[in-house]
Amino acid sequence: KELKKEIEPSEFATYTPDPSEEFDFSDFINVNDPKMTTLFPLFVNLIRNHGPEKVFILTARGVDSQGPIRNFLNKIGVKYEVPASQVTIATVGNSDPMAKVNVIKGWVSAAEPKPKLVMFFDDSAKNIDAANLLKNDPLFKNNIEIKTKRVV
């Protein structure tokens, strides 16, 4: 089959596919021409102020994308003088919003001491809506604040 249309990962996050469409995600492991969002300074400040062990990248990409993401972080880490290469990268390998929510719950469940705040940034409104469900989860309710923001 020939490639009919190529879209960026951020576009796919909000794309509603036609049932007849087929997708080839083989290039999804790469970080092609990454765009710095307006939240990038916050990412850098979180690493500087709290350390890379408190900052996580959570992506729908598969495990094979960790190397290219790490290479990108190493590149920007040099520029911004932050140990971005030490940030944990979690790959869920699918676009189900609950997959990301389950990873967040797993991190928070395992954390000691428990965080007081979890901030979640994503380019998909579906992922933001799913993360907001954590506000009513017994693990979070009345104990852990969750802030979400859609990044476009």
Side-chain angles (χ1 to χ4, degrees):
K1 297 194 180 225
E2 74 180 66
L3 180 64
K4 304 263 186 214
K5 181 178 180 182
E6 187 172 310
I7 60 176
E8 297 294 319
S10 59
E11 293 173 294
F12 186 75
T14 59
Y15 185 76
T16 304
D18 182 278
S20 66
E21 292 179 298
E22 293 181 24
F23 295 91
D24 173 5
F25 295 103
S26 59
D27 195 43
F28 198 47
I29 66 167
N30 297 313
V31 178
N32 298 320
D33 191 28
K35 307 285 187 280
M36 297 294 181
T37 70
T38 56
L39 289 174
F40 186 72
L42 175 62
F43 175 76
V44 171
N45 285 334
L46 287 170
I47 293 171
R48 283 187 179 143
N49 295 333
H50 302 285
E53 67 281 354
K54 301 282 185 180
V55 178
F56 300 87
I57 293 177
L58 179 56
T59 179
R61 295 172 187 243
V63 70
D64 290 343
S65 67
Q66 286 185 353
I69 293 169
R70 178 82 51 221
N71 290 339
F72 171 69
L73 291 176
N74 285 332
K75 188 173 163 189
I76 63 165
V78 171
K79 181 176 180 181
Y80 292 94
E81 299 176 6
V82 296
S85 63
Q86 298 171 26
V87 171
T88 297
I89 300 170
T91 56
V92 296
N94 72 66
S95 61
D96 178 4
M98 291 310 293
K100 288 186 176 183
V101 168
N102 290 334
V103 170
I104 294 168
K105 282 178 72 170
W107 281 336
V108 171
S109 294
E112 287 301 332
K114 298 286 182 242
K116 296 188 184 324
L117 171 67
V118 172
M119 297 188 325
F120 178 75
F121 304 97
D122 204 284
D123 59 359
S124 166
K126 292 175 188 176
N127 291 341
I128 294 295
D129 290 344
N132 280 326
L133 295 174
L134 290 170
K135 294 176 181 177
N136 294 317
D137 186 279
L139 179 64
F140 286 79
K141 199 171 185 172
N142 302 320
N143 299 313
I144 302 168
E145 181 181 7
I146 181 152
K147 292 184 178 181
T148 59
K149 180 163 177 64
R150 184 160 179 235
V151 182
V152 285

